Amino acid sequence: MIEDFAGKTAVITGGASGIGLALVRRLGQEGANVVVADVEAGALERTATELDNAGVPNLAVLTDVTDQAQITALADAAEQRFGPVHLLHNNAGVTTVGLAEEQSDAQWDWVLQVNLLAVIAGCRTFLPRMKAHGEAAHILNTASMAGMAGGPFMAPYFTTKFAVVGLSEGLWHEAQMVQSNVGISVLCPAFVRTGIARSDRNQPDTMGGWVVPESQLGSKVGEHLTAGVDAGIEPSAVADAIVAGIREDKLWILTHPESADSIRSRSDAIVSTGKPAQVRNLGN
Ligand SMILES: NC(=O)c1ccc[n+]([C@@H]2O[C@H](COP(=O)([O-])OP(=O)(O)OC[C@H]3O[C@@H](n4cnc5c(N)ncnc54)[C@H](O)[C@@H]3O)[C@@H](O)[C@H]2O)c1
């Protein structure tokens, strides 16, 4: 169990914006060595400069998490610079909006690759290395409240976030059974004020600018998502919850008080009527 982050090494994917950047800053204040991985070169460079100016030992690694070779290279680079990695935060994430059947193969593939397959690859790359070094370590996967209760118009996103919760729960149980040195957590925020509604900035060049579909429905949903994110909590509050949650060795890390009601009402509905109690607005 990690209680003190001073002198520990943390790798954070999607670390140059939003929730990842807030955790990077927070861990820097806690005295950690911070390895920032992101696909966005400019944001990554700005993050590294900020950390240098604050005197935080850091390494910025331009990484596309959808490529296993780049995840392996990230792990190698982190170990080469700082030695054993103690915290991995699989956090990079993107979304698309629109009806499930309206979204293209490329949209489905992109969201599944970034939000799910990359998280699996991160766990499978770092977990054996953490077990081999034997020091207290932790893997945190970013899911969402979209992994705890379903909703409309973001089917690829909901699919990946439920799967990341399932993956994390599976890893947690395995860790208990083998008395692993690696703790497991899954982060489930509701709306947070970040760049997630502008995910199209990260889509591969080959895909074109389609994050908000042309249909009227698609653009309405895009507006709703942007409004929700803009009204969300600050990423720094999420970073506080993460640090507290890891110290308490929590499996599920929730960040919004109202999340408790969503989870309870979903569970109640499953075992009582078998139908959602109410049609949910677009969640995140
Ligand atoms: N903002 C919210 O309301 C909210 C709520 C719940 C969960 N989340 C989750 O939080 C995580 C972080 O998102 P955020 O809200 O901070 O958004 P953000 O857009 O501010 O940050 C996402 C980061 O991921 C990076 N990224 C995207 N594709 C990548 C790739 N292929 N390889 C490497 N990096 C990549 C982006 O460049 C960006 O820096 C995501 O997994 C998201 O699903 C966000």
Side-chain angles (χ1 to χ4, degrees), residues 14-20 37-40 63-66 91-94 114-115 142-145 157 161 189-192 194-196 201-202 229 284:
S17 177
I19 293 170
D38 207 289
V39 76
E40 215 177 308
T63 310
D64 183 344
V65 293
T66 65
N91 170 72
V94 292
V114 178
N115 292 10
T142 297
S144 169
M145 277 304 292
Y157 190 78
K161 296 304 184 178
F191 282 127
V192 186
T194 70
I196 192 81
R201 74 194 191 279
N202 294 135
V229 167
N284 64 316

Side-chain angles (χ1 to χ4, degrees), residues 1-283:
M1 193 161 93
I2 300 181
E3 280 168 9
D4 182 3
F5 290 94
K8 302 285 193 309
T9 296
V11 175
I12 295 134
T13 73
S17 177
I19 293 170
L21 178 58
L23 186 65
V24 161
R25 288 174 171 151
R26 177 65 199 269
L27 291 178
Q29 288 161 6
E30 296 274 336
N33 308 314
V34 186
V35 181
V36 188
D38 207 289
V39 76
E40 215 177 308
L44 191 63
E45 208 178 299
R46 285 193 293 280
T47 304
T49 304
E50 179 186 321
L51 294 171
D52 285 342
N53 291 341
V56 176
N58 71 89
L59 178 68
V61 186
L62 189 62
T63 310
D64 183 344
V65 293
T66 65
D67 179 1
Q68 172 66 61
Q70 294 188 43
I71 293 183
T72 304
L74 171 65
D76 290 344
E79 286 176 355
Q80 209 167 16
R81 173 78 166 80
F82 293 118
V85 172
H86 302 94
L87 172 66
L88 168 67
H89 185 188
N90 286 308
N91 170 72
V94 292
T95 195
T96 53
V97 294
L99 290 170
E101 72 276 18
E102 187 183 47
Q103 300 202 38
S104 66
D105 290 352
Q107 286 179 296
W108 274 93
D109 279 355
W110 180 49
V111 178
L112 289 171
Q113 290 274 350
V114 178
N115 292 10
L116 176 58
L117 296 179
V119 176
I120 296 170
C123 293
R124 296 187 70 233
T125 302
F126 282 81
L127 194 50
R129 294 175 189 234
M130 288 171 162
K131 285 185 173 172
H133 72 58
E135 298 172 25
H138 208 97
I139 293 180
L140 167 68
N141 296 325
T142 297
S144 169
M145 277 304 292
M148 291 280 181
F153 308 130
M154 288 169 46
Y157 190 78
F158 283 104
T159 302
T160 58
K161 296 304 184 178
F162 267 81
V164 168
V165 172
L167 168 70
S168 307
E169 293 187 7
L171 291 174
W172 186 90
H173 285 281
E174 288 181 7
Q176 308 310 305
M177 293 191 77
V178 300
Q179 297 187 330
S180 170
N181 60 313
V182 186
I184 305 289
S185 301
V186 59
L187 176 69
C188 297
F191 282 127
V192 186
R193 201 172 308 158
T194 70
I196 192 81
R198 292 180 291 105
S199 290
D200 55 333
R201 74 194 191 279
N202 294 135
Q203 71 193 19
D205 294 339
T206 49
M207 290 176 63
W210 44 249
V211 80
V212 176
E214 301 263 313
S215 72
Q216 250 195 335
L217 173 66
S219 63
K220 266 205 192 119
V221 175
E223 282 164 24
H224 186 102
L225 176 65
T226 303
V229 167
D230 287 349
I233 64 171
E234 288 299 328
S236 58
V238 179
D240 291 344
I242 291 172
V243 167
I246 292 174
R247 284 196 173 122
E248 291 168 41
D249 205 14
K250 284 186 176 177
L251 166 56
W252 300 284
I253 300 179
L254 303 180
T255 55
H256 291 59
E258 63 271 24
S259 297
D261 284 341
S262 306
I263 294 166
R264 282 194 198 100
S265 78
R266 178 173 190 269
S267 303
D268 287 349
I270 290 170
V271 296
S272 57
T273 62
K275 296 176 191 169
Q278 59 182 44
V279 176
R280 196 176 164 214
N281 280 333
L282 178 70

